[in-house]
Amino acid sequence: MELCDLKVNINEQHTFLLHQRVLCSFSGKLKKMVKQEKKRSQAKGPGLKLVEFPGGPYGFELASKFCYNSGSIVLTPSNVCLLHSAATTLEMTEEMSNWNLLRKTEAFLDGAFQWTWNDTLTALKSCELFFPTADSCGLLHKLICSLLAKISASSELPLLSSTPPNPSSSSSSSSPDTAGFRWSSATKTPEPMKPCSSREWWFDDLAILAPSTIEKIMKALGAYGSDNKNLILTRFLLHYLKKVVQKPCSSGKEEYGGLADTAVHGVILMGKTAFSCRGLFWVLRVVSGLGLSKECKHKLERLMGLMLEQATLDDLLVSGHDGGVYDVNLVLRLVRIFVCNEGGGGATSLQRMKKVGRLIDKYLGEISPDQGLKVSKFLEVAESLPDSARDCFDGVYRALDIYLESHPTLSTEERTRLCRCLNYEKLTLEACKDLAKNRRIPPGVAVQALVSQQSKVQVGTTADRPDPTQTPRPVVTAAAAAAAEGASTEELDEKEQLKLNLQRMQSRVKELEKVCRSMKGQISKMVKSKSMPHGSRGMPRLC
């Protein structure tokens, strides 16, 4: 018999030239394929093609060694799953026990519940190369049950309690049943970015598994998708997805979308009892680039918006995806959710609103230097809160000044439009003075601000005047009178200074108007005259 009497092509890439008699003695499938090939062709050496063979050429080579060694091979946790899948595909179920590779591998796998943790993990990891076959023949189910039983038995606070199936049962007849697994009570745990506790020792070990294997584990526990109601599993998924995000340039992250949705469902269910506002921002950063569905993203953002008053500036500085440095649209969505929820009013609600107002003012100051931040987007952020959220608009003015300084090419119309986000009456006197002297602020806006300040001062002065119809209150002490007199003197000095600034601004505007009229007159004369006399003087300088 020649060596090349059987040519086997594996996955249309690798070809094996083997003894037909040796392989067909062990494999029922190859025997059938050879008979069919001989009927179609009278060629002496039939050529067979095996597509999507488990483990590819390596898996077929391993099964061939078993045949050439007269049914003898060393089984280990690292190769038993591949041999089992190859035996299933090749139908290596001969009646002779030494030649029945499928029976040998099943007998070895029946002891999986007595394997060590590392052996079980190694076997489960090896199945990823031939996942569909390992899944269809019950391998994954058996190994996952073994893995979960070890987690349950070794955890300080068990994830679940288990009743392991009978190890002597054959995987060909029935797979281990997970009906014996049930949830234990889940308690409040720290934020997800803190180190794992002793009951979470298995987090890092399972992080090496492929997403398809993790999905299979979650489904075996009945905790996949919206069925996830366990905090420990939620924390594991976040830990697992964080490792994925940290991998450099890992493509195809959309395959993690189902796990990201599952993690977010768990986060939403636990809500404020298990996650702080900072923890929710951390969750969003982890899952945002992993194919998270729009529905889950909307639910997560709603939960974040309801807790926005607990956020810090660092939390809001999420990287942008549309050309800008920061994700401004995310912050706008969170603010809208917060404002809609706090619309009922009340002292507590107003206090929360003012806290968010101070936070947004800081955020405006941070994003203002961004060259990709448009005027319309700056205004959206500045005007996203009602006036009641701010006792003072000095923070908005400082952010506006930074934006104008960082964007020197803005037109007068754009600068005027930007200034509409200011409430001049809620500017302090110092801020108003700075605004009046600021060359980046259009003169008309500065006049409006000073006029608003003057009206505020007049209202305050009127309120300070005594009512002649009422009996004046007696002075309590001389010290109090002296203190009141000193305060009044300071207030009068500020009022006089403000009036002086206003008068200077008004006179400046009048001078500019005169210059403009003079320029118009000279331009008219130039148009009427046919030629300008040589050496004539030009237009007046604006000083």
Side-chain angles (χ1 to χ4, degrees), residues 249 357 413:
C249 196
E413 291 77 10

Side-chain angles (χ1 to χ4, degrees), residues 518-519 522-523 526 532-541:
S518 175
M519 289 174 63
Q522 292 203 19
I523 290 172
M526 289 166 59
M532 288 285 294
H534 183 70
S536 61
R537 298 179 62 184
M539 289 183 289
R541 288 177 54 193

Side-chain angles (χ1 to χ4, degrees), residues 184-202:
S184 63
S185 59
T187 56
K188 183 177 179 180
T189 60
E191 294 180 5
M193 51 284 235
K194 293 186 178 179
C196 295
S197 63
S198 57
R199 61 178 169 173
E200 298 163 358
W201 55 269
W202 46 276

Side-chain angles (χ1 to χ4, degrees), residues 381-397:
V381 178
E383 297 174 344
S384 59
L385 292 168
D387 272 7
S388 59
R390 297 182 177 95
D391 291 328
C392 178
F393 269 70
D394 285 16
V396 180
Y397 169 66

Side-chain angles (χ1 to χ4, degrees), residues 380-441:
E380 277 190 71
V381 178
E383 297 174 344
S384 59
L385 292 168
D387 272 7
S388 59
R390 297 182 177 95
D391 291 328
C392 178
F393 269 70
D394 285 16
V396 180
Y397 169 66
R398 284 192 291 269
L400 173 63
D401 190 30
I402 295 172
Y403 186 85
L404 293 175
E405 185 178 3
S406 305
H407 300 75
T409 59
L410 293 177
S411 64
T412 304
E413 291 77 10
E414 288 175 321
R415 288 184 284 130
T416 304
R417 182 184 167 200
L418 275 168
C419 293
R420 79 181 189 191
C421 64
L422 295 174
N423 185 337
Y424 306 127
E425 294 182 357
K426 285 191 174 183
L427 287 173
T428 62
L429 185 61
E430 290 74 15
C432 195
K433 289 178 182 178
D434 186 79
L435 184 148
K437 296 183 293 183
N438 194 336
R439 294 183 177 274
R440 291 182 286 271
I441 300 294

Side-chain angles (χ1 to χ4, degrees), residues 16 48 78 83 99 101 168 198 314 324 329-330 421 423 506-507 519 537:
F16 290 84
L48 306 180
S78 61
L83 284 169
W99 289 12
L101 179 59
S168 62
S198 57
D314 289 338
N329 290 325
L330 168 66
C421 64
N423 185 337
Q506 289 174 342
S507 62
M519 289 174 63
R537 298 179 62 184

Side-chain angles (χ1 to χ4, degrees), residues 92-361:
M92 302 175 76
T93 57
E94 291 297 318
E95 293 183 359
M96 293 180 60
S97 59
N98 286 341
W99 289 12
N100 194 324
L101 179 59
L102 187 61
R103 187 181 301 171
K104 283 188 174 185
T105 55
E106 285 176 349
F108 190 86
L109 286 166
D110 283 341
F113 278 85
Q114 281 73 47
W115 291 359
T116 64
W117 168 262
N118 288 334
D119 286 344
T120 306
L121 200 62
T122 299
L124 193 58
K125 179 68 177 175
S126 70
C127 293
E128 294 173 358
L129 296 174
F130 42 95
F131 188 87
T133 308
D135 188 18
S136 62
C137 66
L139 270 177
L140 286 176
H141 193 72
K142 182 188 286 288
L143 293 172
I144 286 172
C145 287
S146 173
L147 198 74
L148 294 178
K150 288 175 173 57
I151 293 175
S152 177
S154 303
S155 296
E156 180 182 324
L157 293 176
L159 166 68
L160 35 82
S161 59
S162 63
T163 306
N166 186 359
S168 62
S169 62
S170 174
S171 63
S172 61
S173 59
S174 63
S175 299
D177 189 8
T178 54
F181 294 98
R182 63 183 185 272
W183 298 120
S184 63
S185 59
T187 56
K188 183 177 179 180
T189 60
E191 294 180 5
M193 51 284 235
K194 293 186 178 179
C196 295
S197 63
S198 57
R199 61 178 169 173
E200 298 163 358
W201 55 269
W202 46 276
F203 280 20
D204 280 330
D205 289 342
L206 264 62
I208 66 171
L209 299 176
S212 55
T213 306
I214 300 298
E215 285 185 9
K216 196 71 179 175
I217 293 174
M218 299 299 292
K219 289 175 180 177
L221 291 169
Y224 187 73
S226 57
D227 294 329
N228 179 23
K229 298 177 176 63
N230 186 274
L231 182 57
I232 296 178
L233 289 179
T234 299
R235 285 174 56 79
F236 161 67
L237 287 178
L238 292 172
H239 180 84
Y240 176 80
L241 296 174
K242 181 187 72 172
K243 295 284 187 181
V244 173
V245 173
Q246 290 174 347
K247 292 178 182 178
C249 196
S250 57
S251 59
K253 290 185 178 180
E254 290 75 15
E255 61 182 333
Y256 297 92
L259 295 177
D261 284 357
T262 302
V264 170
H265 278 299
V267 170
I268 294 168
L269 183 66
M270 304 300 165
K272 300 178 182 179
T273 60
F275 293 90
S276 65
C277 188
R278 168 160 287 190
L280 294 177
F281 272 97
W282 179 84
V283 171
L284 182 66
R285 284 182 170 93
V286 169
V287 302
S288 59
L290 297 177
L292 184 69
S293 66
K294 291 182 179 179
E295 179 186 1
C296 288
K297 185 177 182 181
H298 175 73
K299 290 181 179 179
L300 180 60
E301 288 181 359
R302 174 166 177 77
L303 186 59
M304 294 165 62
L306 297 177
M307 301 169 62
L308 190 58
E309 82 282 356
Q310 300 177 17
T312 64
L313 178 59
D314 289 338
D315 296 334
L316 298 185
L317 299 178
V318 180
S319 299
H321 305 287
D322 300 326
V325 177
Y326 303 109
D327 192 348
V328 179
N329 290 325
L330 168 66
V331 175
L332 285 170
R333 291 195 297 269
L334 298 181
V335 173
R336 291 189 192 107
I337 293 170
F338 178 81
V339 171
C340 290
N341 184 68
E342 299 296 328
T348 305
S349 178
L350 183 60
Q351 186 177 3
R352 286 158 52 92
M353 189 75 74
K354 289 182 177 181
K355 192 171 183 180
V356 172
R358 292 190 291 270
L359 176 64
I360 295 302
D361 287 354

